[in-house]
Amino acid sequence: MNKIIGLAVLLLCVCGCAKDDDAIYYPVGNVDIERGDVALEDGKGELVAGSYNEEDYVLDTLAQYPGDPTLGKLTFMIDLKNQLARQEAGGFNGIGKSGLTMSLGYKNGDYPSESQIPVYTSPDVTAAYAVKLRLKGELALAGDEWMIDYIYVQLAGLFQPYPPASFPEVFMCKGGEQPFAAFDSFRRTWTFDITYSRSGLSFSQLYFNLFLNLAGQKREERIRLRIDKESFFEVYKLNEEMN
């Protein structure tokens, strides 16, 4: 694939929806959604789940296109986790290292079941919650025969593989070039540092995913995701007087 054309597609990320016979391509463009009330004040909520890092860690994966790689477009779903928990919580799936799954789901809706597991399941659907998080790191491609069509991070009350801005279940979505991340075309890396702190959220399940769409003409490519130790994830149950 012509590198100049590839870079142009990467940088434009125009909004819209175009289909081909190989996969469905949903350019996202720049998106910056943050819903919920103001950040949680000290003493106004109980920490019910949290995970943290003591050191950086790397997810190094070989992406393999399962069909004809003549015009390959792959969707990757990365369930974002941290390594350690300081607060035991039932229904919390945010402990451990992040995992990566690959899918043609944008074409046929066949998303792996392991990608559709919520990071937190609420034991009290009537409660209000606050979420604080930071996701800092870098995503890189090893070679130059694949390109990133788009990439975005989403926090939502439903599994939402495409970020519909009109859906109230999407609490946070950041994608495109800014303010989500900085792209280095020479190093083929995306460097990001995302923070979110909002209260007054209502959900029965909570999903936290990084979605990545690749395009290329090579059967496989190595993807490297580094999560910095400063990253963390916290869920608070609000005190009843705040509900």
Side-chain angles (χ1 to χ4, degrees):
M1 180 178 290
N2 186 290
K3 294 181 180 178
I4 297 178
I5 295 177
L7 182 58
V9 173
L10 174 66
L11 294 178
L12 286 175
C13 288
V14 294
C15 294
C17 174
K19 300 182 180 180
D20 56 46
D21 293 334
D22 189 70
I24 293 180
Y25 172 38
Y26 285 120
V28 174
N30 290 326
V31 57
D32 185 14
I33 298 171
E34 287 196 11
R35 292 194 176 96
D37 297 334
V38 297
L40 182 65
E41 299 179 23
D42 292 342
K44 299 297 184 179
E46 174 192 1
L47 179 65
V48 294
S51 59
Y52 313 86
N53 295 308
E54 290 186 339
E55 58 184 15
D56 298 353
Y57 72 89
V58 173
L59 175 67
D60 196 347
T61 303
L62 184 66
Q64 294 180 311
Y65 187 68
D68 180 3
T70 304
L71 180 58
K73 290 177 182 175
L74 292 173
T75 300
F76 293 86
M77 287 152 284
I78 302 173
D79 63 309
L80 295 165
K81 301 180 181 181
N82 291 310
Q83 292 180 293
L84 300 174
R86 296 179 188 163
Q87 183 77 19
E88 297 293 333
F92 186 50
N93 189 40
I95 304 167
K97 289 190 176 182
S98 299
L100 183 147
T101 57
M102 178 176 60
S103 177
L104 293 178
Y106 278 83
K107 180 177 181 180
N108 54 26
D110 184 20
Y111 300 100
S113 58
E114 57 266 35
S115 297
Q116 302 185 52
I117 300 174
V119 66
Y120 182 70
T121 301
S122 169
D124 182 1
V125 296
T126 65
Y129 293 90
V131 174
K132 296 181 181 180
L133 66 88
R134 184 182 186 187
L135 179 65
K136 181 181 179 183
E138 180 184 84
L139 186 139
L141 300 180
D144 60 1
E145 296 189 46
W146 284 74
M147 69 175 187
I148 298 174
D149 277 340
Y150 60 81
I151 177 173
Y152 63 93
V153 171
Q154 188 170 236
L155 180 76
L158 295 174
F159 180 71
Q160 297 280 6
Y162 179 68
S166 61
F167 279 38
E169 294 85 0
V170 177
F171 305 126
M172 181 201 77
C173 185
K174 295 184 181 295
E177 298 212 12
Q178 295 294 339
F180 168 67
F183 178 65
D184 185 328
S185 59
F186 179 75
R187 296 177 59 234
R188 297 180 60 75
T189 60
W190 285 73
T191 303
F192 49 85
D193 190 352
I194 294 172
T195 58
Y196 178 81
S197 180
R198 293 293 180 102
S199 62
L201 304 179
S202 177
F203 52 81
S204 59
Q205 295 180 323
L206 191 63
Y207 295 83
F208 185 35
N209 291 95
L210 186 153
F211 293 86
L212 166 67
N213 209 53
L214 292 180
Q217 294 179 314
K218 186 179 178 182
R219 184 166 294 278
E220 61 186 32
E221 178 64 288
R222 186 162 294 282
I223 302 174
R224 183 179 184 273
L225 174 67
R226 189 191 79 244
I227 303 294
D228 287 10
K229 62 183 179 181
E230 290 89 353
S231 302
F232 68 91
F233 187 92
E234 296 177 334
V235 180
Y236 293 82
K237 183 178 179 180
L238 302 186
N239 298 334
E240 291 187 1
E241 60 267 23
M242 294 188 65
N243 297 346

